[in-house]
Amino acid sequence: MIFICEDDLNIQELVVYSLEQTGFNAQGFDNATKLYQALAKNDCELILLDIMLPDESGLDVLKKLKKDPKYKNIPIIMLTAKSSEYDKVLGLDLGADDYVAKPFGIMELIARIKAVLRRNVNIADKLIYKELELDKSSHTVVYKNQKVVLTLKEFELLQKLMENQGIVLTREKLLEDIWGYDYYGETRTVDVHIRTLRSKLNNDFDYIETIRGVGYKLG
């Protein structure tokens, strides 16, 4: 689903229609309040965001979304009649993925959307926490700019922790998700793998924290 927040209904309806004809699902809103309400209820692949909105500046909306952990990874393309370099640079500095000045061609806009979505797919393959980076597509881990060689289970364990940053995962949950229902080992298996994983991260306990009597968490 692509959201377009644009108070000019002619532009909004044209973009929504064109996106749907191209194979996307799209929904339009004429103010920031409606956009926030939709985001709270629905998943979104990308947002087209006008800078000049009636209830709130699009730049303020951009700033809020990029600071919110729930929405910060949604790519955002800014739409505006303003063509000054200052507005463009400000939007990009705040985290916008692209910037399109009005009037724009629909085919160019759709091409920009597809390009941003392609980039976002590649980014989604990477999990990052502080100086630790895990790439799911290449199955590699880099810690403090050094490649770390992990076994399959160590990699899966680290991936699970990085996908749930800040959330405590019990030993039973980790054992079930990584080793499967048919694995009859004890939860100590998890502890052993955590220990070897920590050793490969130079025993940096700021990364993988032990929650006594429960399990582990990252961050």
Side-chain angles (χ1 to χ4, degrees), residues 36-72:
Y36 293 141
Q37 291 170 345
L39 284 169
K41 298 177 182 177
N42 303 282
D43 291 331
C44 173
E45 293 179 82
L46 180 143
I47 298 171
L48 300 173
L49 180 61
D50 187 27
I51 283 185
M52 303 297 289
L53 295 171
D55 58 344
E56 188 175 357
S57 162
L59 291 173
D60 288 337
V61 176
L62 172 65
K63 191 185 302 184
K64 286 181 182 178
L65 294 178
K66 290 302 179 182
K67 286 184 177 179
D68 192 321
K70 187 176 180 181
Y71 306 121
K72 68 179 182 180

Side-chain angles (χ1 to χ4, degrees), residues 132-155:
L132 181 63
E133 182 176 309
L134 182 148
D135 191 319
K136 292 186 282 187
S137 60
S138 64
H139 218 265
T140 56
V141 172
V142 174
Y143 173 69
K144 294 185 177 180
N145 298 318
Q146 297 293 321
K147 186 175 181 180
V148 180
V149 178
L150 301 179
T151 66
L152 176 60
K153 293 304 181 187
E154 289 168 354
F155 184 91

